[in-house]
Amino acid sequence: MCTEEFGEYDMGRGGHSGKTCMGRISICYDVLHKTVLDDTPDNYRCSEKEQFGNFAPLLLPGDVPLTDGYCAKHGVPLAVLDSRAHFVVPLTEKPLVVKRFPRQKKGAERAVTITFTDSRTKEPAAIKGRPMKKKTNGKYRVPFTSLPQGKDCPRGAIFTLYGTRWEVETCYGHLKNTLEMADWSGKSVPAVRQDFKARILLHNLTALLCHPIRPKKKKVDAGNGPTNRKRTLNFPNAISRCRSLLVKILKGRDIMTLTDEFSENVKARIEYSRKGQTRKRTYFEGRKYHMNQKHA
């Protein structure tokens, strides 16, 4: 049963909302090709460090994993270095930590040794790398990387590289909302795992089909002037079209014709990035106490 596989936990303040079966999901995501390389649906009590250990065999020499602050505190960079790969992790934004770093000039970062302490084992681990700091919108961004300083890894490239990690958050959003990850076809463990793998497969197939597609320029309607905002593909629409494409393939339709129709439809259905928009977004006040659905 799912309760034996993933666990059962008290929900709400003081457990008054009753018990609910809940698991923990982590994914290894390729930000370049926007595909999920591996996934681990486990028990909710399983830590993110343990789930990262399942992804460690996928690391090859020269890879650069982009992790969150949790991984930096639990010795994950050591596992990355053991695979002869490099890492980029964010450090805390506390002023006392930021002030320890000297004033940096372009191309003048120096390597330092930072001691990370595992919150569970309390064992210190010294890791050598170069920290960088940049103030954006009143807050400091402090990435810490093992990539050596040089022409191939300038300071600006590190900030740009870590900025691509937002694709992971976008992937979680598509899995939860567009693909409706929490809507299972059955209550047994095989049914839950099968639905999860099927949604990951659909996401990857859509990403691979969309990879060579470039959005068309949208015709300017009457009353709408040109815009400098970046045009992107409508990925939820692409997922819907990919689902229909797979059904038509099973019915015996020609694959090449279907892929051409898919490309033309996806090219026409575009959307614009939020950067540079004139109207501000309306934010609604969230609940003070809630359960977070994403933990990794």
Side-chain angles (χ1 to χ4, degrees):
M1 296 178 61
C2 290
T3 55
E4 298 177 356
E5 180 74 12
F6 301 108
E8 194 175 25
Y9 310 96
D10 296 330
M11 304 293 291
R13 301 184 65 185
H16 297 295
S17 299
K19 292 185 177 181
T20 302
C21 180
M22 183 168 55
R24 184 187 296 274
I25 295 174
S26 290
I27 60 174
C28 182
Y29 188 78
D30 185 352
V31 298
L32 180 62
H33 300 96
K34 300 183 179 181
T35 55
V36 179
L37 302 179
D38 196 6
D39 53 81
T40 57
D42 293 317
N43 190 288
Y44 183 72
R45 297 300 182 188
C46 179
S47 67
E48 297 178 25
K49 180 180 179 181
E50 295 173 353
Q51 291 187 320
F52 182 85
N54 298 327
F55 303 143
L58 299 176
L59 296 178
L60 299 176
D63 288 347
V64 185
L66 309 175
T67 65
D68 55 9
Y70 174 90
C71 295
K73 299 177 183 178
H74 291 77
V76 171
L78 291 177
V80 174
L81 295 177
D82 291 340
S83 302
R84 293 185 297 175
H86 295 282
F87 63 85
V88 180
V89 298
L91 299 180
T92 178
E93 299 178 355
K94 294 181 180 179
L96 294 179
V97 177
V98 175
K99 288 181 180 180
R100 293 190 309 177
F101 302 142
R103 180 175 297 179
Q104 297 176 344
K105 299 180 181 179
K106 292 185 177 180
E109 297 91 2
R110 65 174 185 176
V112 299
T113 301
I114 297 180
T115 302
F116 294 91
T117 303
D118 194 320
S119 61
R120 293 187 176 182
T121 61
K122 305 300 180 181
E123 296 180 358
I127 302 176
K128 188 176 182 179
R130 55 183 181 124
M132 290 160 284
K133 63 179 180 179
K134 180 180 179 181
K135 197 171 185 179
T136 305
N137 297 328
K139 295 183 179 181
Y140 280 103
R141 298 173 59 192
V142 189
F144 181 66
T145 179
S146 62
L147 290 168
Q149 184 178 356
K151 295 182 179 180
D152 297 335
C153 303
R155 181 172 181 268
I158 300 299
F159 285 98
T160 303
L161 176 63
Y162 192 77
T164 60
R165 188 188 170 275
W166 184 251
E167 295 290 341
V168 182
E169 309 296 336
T170 305
C171 178
Y172 276 115
H174 289 312
L175 292 177
K176 291 191 301 181
N177 302 322
T178 308
L179 292 170
E180 299 179 346
M181 184 64 73
D183 187 11
W184 312 108
S185 61
K187 297 183 179 180
S188 64
V189 176
V192 171
R193 294 189 179 276
Q194 177 178 291
D195 289 352
F196 180 74
K197 295 293 184 180
R199 286 172 169 85
I200 294 293
L201 177 61
L202 179 59
H203 177 278
N204 286 348
L205 287 176
T206 306
L208 293 175
L209 289 173
C210 293
H211 186 69
I213 300 177
R214 297 295 177 265
K216 290 183 178 180
K217 289 186 177 181
K218 190 175 181 181
K219 296 182 179 180
V220 179
D221 299 330
N224 295 329
T227 177
N228 295 326
R229 294 169 62 185
K230 183 180 178 181
R231 293 174 291 113
T232 59
L233 299 179
N234 190 326
F235 197 73
N237 170 69
I239 290 177
S240 177
R241 293 292 173 177
C242 184
R243 185 185 285 111
S244 301
L245 181 145
L246 295 177
V247 174
K248 293 177 181 179
I249 289 176
L250 294 176
K251 291 182 178 180
R253 292 279 302 277
D254 182 60
I255 297 179
M256 297 302 298
T257 304
L258 292 175
T259 52
D260 292 340
E261 293 177 358
F262 174 86
S263 299
E264 291 300 321
N265 181 276
V266 173
K267 284 181 182 179
R269 295 290 298 272
I270 65 174
E271 58 184 8
Y272 293 95
S273 65
R274 294 171 181 169
K275 187 176 181 180
Q277 63 183 5
T278 56
R279 297 182 180 180
K280 295 184 179 181
R281 296 181 64 192
T282 301
Y283 292 93
F284 298 95
E285 185 177 357
R287 292 179 296 175
K288 187 175 182 180
Y289 301 101
H290 64 279
M291 286 298 298
N292 190 358
Q293 297 183 14
K294 188 190 79 61
H295 296 272

